[in-house]
Amino acid sequence: MTVQDIRSFSRFYTNVIGALDYGRHLYVPYTLTESRVLYELAHAPRTDAADLRAQLHLDAGYLSRILNRFEEDGLVERGPSETDPRRRSVTLTGRGREAAALLDERARETVGAMLATVPAEDRPRLAEAMRTVREILGGGRAPRPEDVVLRDPVPGDLGWIVQRNAALYAAEYGWNADYEGLVARIVADYGEDHDPRLERTWIAELDGRPVGCVMCVRDDAPGAARLRLLLVEPDARGLGIGDRLVGAVVGFAREAGYREVVLWTNDVLAAARRVYQRHGFVLVAEKPHRSFGRDLVGQDWRLDLLATPE
């Protein structure tokens, strides 16, 4: 392989994704770089400008001009960082989240249309080739927290949630197929009938593959949201994914107007319980039970959104 081979491929792919005229390509008023900034802000709701600059390898002045434009357009708010007063925090507004969602939708439609032209038998080969490029040019470095993005589910993701919950809990805790049945019912109910204003699912993605998930659904109790099916793949643990997923649920529940978030778990899930505690959840009840082929202690946890500061 020569330098010219890589440059030739780069020109080819640039044309494929419409990078040189990204805004017109997706019918949106943003360049590729501006769109990437919006994307990062949408998937990391509280980001310092310095972190954003490092993640995207942008010149400080260039990023500042982009953020100035976004602020003038009402897409972002800037203020002191919660962790370092010398830094500036950047947060998407409601209008900014709508803009990011539109960009994501248009990008998915464009990629979907391109993928539709690829014969089904060639898609595994294409996916493997893309993974190979990432692995070789990535230098084999370990994944970082900033490599993980939270996104909405796409077709196939709900089935993945069922499969991975069943397989993972069987492998780590010896739970039987009863648990898979429970997860399948929860996911089916969500897939068939959910209100996107009040309910949402997040998929954590790393290097193009799902590595975690969580759901926020309406509870039977008035004013309560229920957190369900938190999961992080073993090889992706240690990157703060569980914290981000739970934080996404809590933030969404606040914005949706819920008064509290509740959840049911079991005492053997120690790592998950520590995540819940860090976000302010309080244990309100526990009871022994026989489920999923094991003797367990079920626990009810609650987060009072009215009493807990943002």
Side-chain angles (χ1 to χ4, degrees), residues 84-100:
D84 187 342
R86 296 168 299 179
R87 293 186 168 203
R88 298 282 287 171
S89 175
V90 185
T91 307
L92 283 181
T93 63
R95 185 175 179 180
R97 286 189 294 274
E98 291 177 0

Side-chain angles (χ1 to χ4, degrees), residues 11 17 20 45 59 61 98 105 112 120 124 146 149 156 163 167 171 185 196 203 207 242 250 252 265 267 270 307 310:
R11 289 194 299 273
I17 65 171
L20 298 180
D59 173 77
E98 291 177 0
E105 180 183 353
E146 56 265 33
V149 297
Q163 190 273 330
R185 288 191 294 275
I203 299 293
D207 290 336
V250 173
F252 175 78
T265 188
D267 66 340
E310 294 189 34

Side-chain angles (χ1 to χ4, degrees), residues 153-168:
V154 298
D157 281 334
L158 295 184
W160 177 85
I161 291 174
V162 176
Q163 190 273 330
R164 290 310 298 154
N165 267 272
L168 194 58

Side-chain angles (χ1 to χ4, degrees), residues 14 30 33-34 39 58 69-70 73 90 107 142 146 159 179 187 213 220 230 235-237 257 269 273 278 283 307:
T14 296
Y30 306 108
T33 304
E34 291 169 341
Y39 181 89
L58 292 178
R69 178 195 170 185
F70 285 174
D73 291 345
V90 185
E146 56 265 33
Y179 180 64
V187 171
C213 62
D220 293 335
L230 175 67
D235 64 347
R237 292 170 186 169
L269 306 180
R273 293 203 322 272
R278 283 198 294 272
L283 177 64

Side-chain angles (χ1 to χ4, degrees), residues 284-295:
V284 294
E286 56 184 350
K287 181 180 179 180
H289 64 104
R290 176 78 180 179
S291 299
F292 320 133
R294 290 288 185 269
D295 291 321

Side-chain angles (χ1 to χ4, degrees), residues 141-157:
R141 66 169 174 77
R144 303 165 298 176
E146 56 265 33
D147 295 329
V148 179
V149 297
L150 302 190
R151 60 168 175 79
D152 293 329
V154 298
D157 281 334

